[in-house]
Amino acid sequence: IQIYPNPARSQVNIELFGYSNAQYMLFNTMGQLILNQRIHKSTKLDISTIPSGMYYLRVADDINSITKSLIISKQ
């Protein structure tokens, strides 16, 4: 899985390698779900309305999951 740019301002690109039909979930540091959506190979995640801070992006399919930290910086 490739997630870029990080830190991000208004958009994050998610590219899947080895995952075919997955779902992403974006959580804040308190564990609250902010966004989620199904994806196939790649997507552009609009984060322009999400406040600056540290978040966790989890991508999962029926078998595997991976969580990466994501910094949103509006500066």
Side-chain angles (χ1 to χ4, degrees):
I1 295 173
Q2 192 173 33
I3 300 168
Y4 61 94
N6 191 9
R9 247 176 226 213
S10 62
Q11 181 175 297
V12 175
N13 298 297
I14 303 172
E15 294 185 17
L16 304 178
F17 302 99
Y19 290 74
S20 58
N21 188 17
Q23 178 178 7
Y24 75 78
M25 294 155 275
L26 183 66
F27 298 93
N28 64 16
T29 55
M30 296 180 64
Q32 296 168 317
L33 181 63
I34 305 298
L35 295 171
N36 71 333
Q37 182 178 342
R38 294 208 71 62
I39 56 176
H40 295 285
K41 298 234 183 234
S42 65
T43 192
K44 293 181 186 220
L45 176 58
D46 180 11
I47 57 167
S48 60
T49 60
I50 298 174
S52 295
M54 174 77 131
Y55 294 86
Y56 298 100
L57 184 63
R58 182 177 188 190
V59 178
D61 64 9
D62 294 334
I63 299 169
N64 301 305
S65 71
I66 188 167
T67 303
K68 295 192 173 195
S69 58
L70 174 66
I71 298 170
I72 298 176
S73 176
K74 303 295 182 172
Q75 302 170 7

